[in-house]
Amino acid sequence: MCIVNLTGTSPSNTFVFKDVKPLAAGGAIAVQGLFFTTARKVAPFHGSAVMASDGSVRLGLVVHSSADSTNDFTIAGITSVDFVGTVKFDSDGDFVPNGTLTMEPADCATVVVP
């Protein structure tokens, strides 16, 4: 499963989820995968997702990008089952959102991992 945040028509943030298990109302799953920006520096992420009784999904991720970038960061938001929606990010570690990303689905067959 792949999602992207677009700047114009180009992805500025790409998340590639690996081995995503199905979600059901009241259920939770672990998620993992890789992240990269237009700078093409790949970083791992992990987190979890839970589905509410109305079918909406709460997604939480930790992106470990400090090995090749300036900082690790977190992502949290309410999305659809395919993790599409607007999420908030905390890039300075104070657990207060620094901004939002609008995530859209992407065809994983077209995503080139650096």
Side-chain angles (χ1 to χ4, degrees):
M1 181 183 308
C2 297
I3 57 173
V4 296
N5 168 248
L6 298 175
T7 301
T9 58
S10 299
S12 55
N13 295 283
T14 300
F15 293 84
V16 178
F17 291 80
K18 299 289 189 174
D19 305 319
V20 178
K21 303 226 183 313
L23 265 168
I29 60 170
V31 293
Q32 64 182 357
L34 56 101
F35 163 82
F36 58 92
T37 66
T38 54
R40 311 291 296 160
K41 297 176 181 179
V42 68
F45 71 79
H46 65 91
S48 60
V50 299
M51 181 182 281
S53 60
D54 67 0
S56 63
V57 173
R58 274 69 172 165
L59 177 66
L61 306 175
V62 177
V63 180
H64 300 280
S65 60
S66 61
D68 216 7
S69 185
T70 56
N71 63 296
D72 296 341
F73 62 95
T74 60
I75 297 281
I78 299 174
T79 69
S80 62
V81 71
D82 55 2
F83 306 143
V84 170
T86 301
V87 296
K88 297 174 184 173
F89 64 88
D90 171 24
S91 58
D92 61 11
D94 65 357
F95 300 105
V96 176
N98 296 103
T100 60
L101 299 173
T102 301
M103 304 309 297
E104 301 180 23
D107 180 357
C108 289
T110 65
V111 173
V112 178
V113 176

